[in-house]
Amino acid sequence: MAAYFGRRLYKGAATTAVAAAAVAALTASQAPGNTVDGQDRPTAAGTAPASDDDGAATGNSPYYTDLPPLNSPSPAPSATAGPSTPQTPAEAGIPATVLDAYKKAAAELRVGKPGCNLPWELLAAIGKVESGQARGGRVDAEGTTLSRILGPVLNGSGFAHISDTDHGAYDGDTTYDRAIGPMQFIPSTWAWAGRDGNGDGKKDPNNIYDAALAAGHYLCRNGWDLSNAADLDRAILSYNNSQDYLNTVRSWLEYYRRGTHTIPDGTGPLPSNRSDDTARTHRPSSSPAASTPGASPRPGRSGKDGNGNGNGGSDKPSDAGTTPATGNGGGSPSRTPSPTPSRSASQPTMPPTPTDRVDHLADAHTGKLTAMAGDTFAQRIHTRAETEAGAAVAKVRVRFTIIGDTDTTFAGGEKVATVLTDATGVAVAPALRAGEQTGGFTVRALVVGRTVSGLEYKATVTERAADTLTRTSDTPLTCTPGGAFADRVEVRATYRGAAADDVAATATLVTSADDPAENDKGPYFKDADGKPVRTLKNLRTDDKGLLTLPKLYADDTTGTFLLRITTTGGATLTVELKVAPADTSAEPSPGTSAEPSPSSSADASPSA
């Protein structure tokens, strides 16, 4: 099997190499042109840069630039055909567990965020470009990679400079961050974007189910509709902000859309070309070992990471003895070496970016953050980026993160949002939408790409409330001793004139207008066992703000009694109940009986 796998890998790589120029030309002709955002990074022409790309999910780490074959795959290969035939090229096969993870994630997003229209083929395209489908499907039965897939050390040497944010928990590096797992999230992004896709109670970036679901949510944030070409480009660029990356992912997306098939885990072709390759040409491996984590270094590589250590199963080991590509890592298979001269003291330094100038964040007159459960907060967070002297800094990305035990989110359903500061240096966070969980939580504001003191905003979600209660009927509520009230009490709760739905209420038969204590005589409700109760708790108004109480009954005591209804928020309504003997002065009509009808007798149990 190993020898056959090696021959298949060589054939697939050769096919890719032959097709690369034609596919590259095709994708280039269809790809949007280059523009730049506020940080001089490329974006798709005619589209706005992602509003909360946080420097990209991967930290703009390198990616695999192998392109799909020109021949379309066959979605249903023959049962007698080998894993790789001209009709079913190896690149069209996706390892079974990996494919299942992509489809499962897309199915969940169809329910959770139907407006996103996320195709599973997009997850497959990104998984192909980021890790070669989890290194050819080298995962266990639960979807966890057999060895960690790590990107290069993000120490600023040819890549982004991202100091450690996870204390090495995910990437094993306590100095710098590294992209991790089959979808190559950087730890700081995984901290808020991570999901539990396989239901084991953990959010593991090394698990393809967790990583695929996280990638789906990441691509579906900001209200993007991925059936729209412009939104699709924005989403892909937010994952890795490179025009070449966009073109490569688009190529695989269209390739997988034309058909694919399942292959056994661990038998997928391994990628070979990477976007930061600058000192070696395409060399197909002759066996799986040549491309397997922990194998001997390939030509032009030291087999060590940026700290001089072995890659330890890294999917994307850092180059040594070569000059890494700069920028966003937008390489291609036909890229030629480009020597980079070392910087001397006489060379001019790059001018500081807006982010470099930020010294601290300051609150910009944010009001009190409080809202009732289910409501949108009236106040929005305003944060100002300032220099040491207090001057405003525009075009700086500020990340707002909701922290704490709460189901409150930003508009759009996410707990993280990144906003570019305006000309006055102010970033206004999206509106907060309170969930059903009451209590306090925190919103933290940080500068993306720079370690400076952040801000924390305290917010509170209170219970749903009503400020007014009214009866829906003015019919007097009367009853004879020992009987049942013919009409049930129904009230409407409102808050500031609008229906107050799902508001908690309590109904009590009180002693008097001045004494709220529970009465021990007079009208009563019945519990499930038919026993008298004079206080009902945990009542809730319906979606129209209406509350209908169970049927009331009377004992033998006559007089006027009071029913008091109260809600969260302080709304109170007192209702009069009269119990009096039947009027016997009027003679019954001929043919009628003075006896009460069965329908007026006491019921056996209350009506909910």
Side-chain angles (χ1 to χ4, degrees):
M1 178 63 187
Y4 177 79
F5 180 81
R7 291 196 300 272
R8 181 167 64 85
L9 174 63
Y10 185 95
K11 181 178 180 180
T15 303
T16 300
V18 171
V23 176
L26 175 61
T27 56
S29 68
Q30 297 173 338
N34 289 335
T35 60
V36 296
D37 67 4
Q39 303 293 335
D40 294 330
R41 294 179 296 197
T43 66
T47 67
S51 64
D52 66 345
D53 61 20
D54 292 351
T58 66
N60 291 328
S61 293
Y63 55 91
Y64 289 104
T65 60
D66 295 358
L67 292 169
L70 290 177
N71 293 330
S72 299
S74 170
S78 168
T80 59
S84 178
T85 70
Q87 290 74 37
T88 60
E91 289 83 353
I94 299 179
T97 300
V98 177
L99 180 59
D100 182 60
Y102 296 149
K103 291 186 175 181
K104 183 175 184 291
E108 288 195 28
L109 266 298
R110 280 197 297 274
V111 176
K113 295 183 179 179
C116 176
N117 295 305
L118 171 74
W120 68 260
E121 292 91 345
L122 177 58
L123 296 176
I126 290 177
K128 178 70 174 181
V129 168
E130 292 295 343
S131 68
Q133 311 298 18
R135 301 296 291 163
R138 296 183 69 248
V139 297
D140 62 19
E142 302 301 320
T144 302
T145 57
L146 300 182
S147 59
R148 286 195 301 185
I149 300 175
L150 298 175
V153 177
L154 298 176
N155 58 7
S157 178
F159 310 111
H161 183 286
I162 304 179
S163 297
D164 175 62
T165 61
D166 66 331
H167 305 291
Y170 292 124
D171 54 18
D173 192 326
T174 57
T175 305
Y176 300 102
D177 272 349
R178 305 174 71 170
I180 45 179
M183 303 304 278
Q184 288 290 277
F185 280 95
I186 55 175
S188 58
T189 301
W190 183 261
W192 61 264
R195 294 292 194 280
D196 176 15
N198 62 353
D200 64 357
K202 298 184 295 183
K203 300 175 182 178
D204 183 2
N206 298 299
N207 182 278
I208 186 58
Y209 287 98
D210 294 0
L213 185 59
H217 278 279
Y218 187 91
L219 294 164
C220 285
R221 71 201 192 287
N222 295 331
W224 285 328
D225 177 1
L226 302 187
S227 65
N228 176 281
D231 279 358
L232 177 62
D233 287 348
R234 290 186 183 99
I236 296 172
L237 286 169
S238 79
Y239 211 90
N240 190 315
N241 206 341
S242 160
Q243 188 68 34
D244 287 335
Y245 181 86
L246 172 63
N247 295 344
T248 306
V249 170
R250 279 276 208 162
S251 297
W252 283 106
L253 170 60
E254 295 309 315
Y255 183 73
Y256 287 136
R257 275 175 167 166
R258 292 195 297 267
T260 186
H261 58 275
T262 301
I263 59 175
D265 289 343
T267 65
L270 303 180
S272 54
N273 293 302
R274 217 173 59 165
S275 61
D276 62 332
D277 289 343
T278 59
R280 69 183 181 89
T281 57
H282 176 77
R283 299 190 183 193
S285 305
S286 59
S287 68
S291 298
T292 302
S296 301
R298 293 177 290 180
R301 296 186 184 274
S302 69
K304 299 181 181 294
D305 63 20
N307 292 326
N309 303 315
N311 62 34
S314 169
D315 176 35
K316 300 178 180 178
S318 297
D319 289 323
T322 66
T323 303
T326 58
N328 294 317
S332 67
S334 59
R335 193 176 197 165
T336 57
S338 177
T340 303
S342 60
R343 174 172 289 179
S344 66
S346 62
Q347 288 181 303
T349 58
M350 296 296 291
T353 66
T355 301
D356 295 332
R357 297 175 54 223
V358 178
D359 176 75
H360 61 272
L361 293 176
D363 177 51
H365 308 294
T366 301
K368 184 178 181 180
L369 297 171
T370 183
M372 288 195 306
D375 286 354
T376 298
F377 282 69
Q379 294 291 329
R380 294 170 66 178
I381 297 173
H382 292 63
T383 301
R384 190 170 187 258
E386 298 181 350
T387 65
E388 185 176 4
V393 185
K395 296 185 178 181
V396 172
R397 295 184 184 277
V398 177
R399 180 193 299 143
F400 298 95
T401 306
I402 297 174
I403 300 171
D405 185 14
T406 180
D407 56 354
T408 295
T409 64
F410 290 112
E414 300 295 341
K415 291 203 171 187
V416 176
T418 303
V419 181
L420 206 64
T421 57
D422 61 18
T424 67
V426 175
V428 182
L432 289 164
R433 291 182 178 174
E436 295 303 319
Q437 191 170 342
T438 60
F441 63 93
T442 300
V443 179
R444 180 177 297 158
L446 295 172
V447 177
V448 175
R450 185 166 173 79
T451 305
V452 298
S453 297
L455 290 178
E456 290 193 348
Y457 295 86
K458 300 299 181 182
T460 304
V461 177
T462 61
E463 288 188 67
R464 293 173 181 261
D467 55 17
T468 304
L469 279 174
T470 57
R471 275 193 68 195
T472 59
S473 170
D474 57 2
T475 303
L477 297 168
T478 61
C479 182
T480 58
F485 286 80
D487 296 312
R488 295 168 64 178
V489 178
E490 183 182 69
V491 297
R492 176 180 287 108
T494 58
Y495 183 79
R496 296 179 180 177
D501 64 307
D502 200 30
V503 174
T506 299
T508 305
L509 280 307
V510 299
T511 302
S512 68
D514 299 324
D515 186 356
E518 179 181 290
N519 207 338
D520 59 358
K521 57 185 176 181
Y524 59 90
F525 301 104
K526 287 184 179 181
D527 64 13
D529 297 325
K531 296 180 180 179
V533 292
R534 291 185 169 88
T535 298
L536 298 178
K537 298 181 179 180
N538 301 317
L539 303 172
R540 290 275 174 181
T541 60
D542 64 14
D543 58 353
K544 296 179 181 178
L546 297 177
L547 172 63
T548 303
L549 299 182
K551 181 171 285 191
L552 279 162
Y553 303 88
D555 61 14
D556 293 333
T557 309
T558 60
T560 299
F561 301 90
L562 299 179
L563 169 66
R564 182 163 293 166
I565 305 169
T566 60
T567 69
T568 304
T572 302
L573 177 66
T574 301
V575 180
E576 282 193 354
L577 306 172
K578 292 186 178 181
V579 179
D583 186 0
T584 58
S585 61
E587 292 295 332
S589 301
T592 63
S593 172
E595 295 296 323
S597 65
S599 62
S600 64
S601 62
D603 289 352
S605 61
S607 175

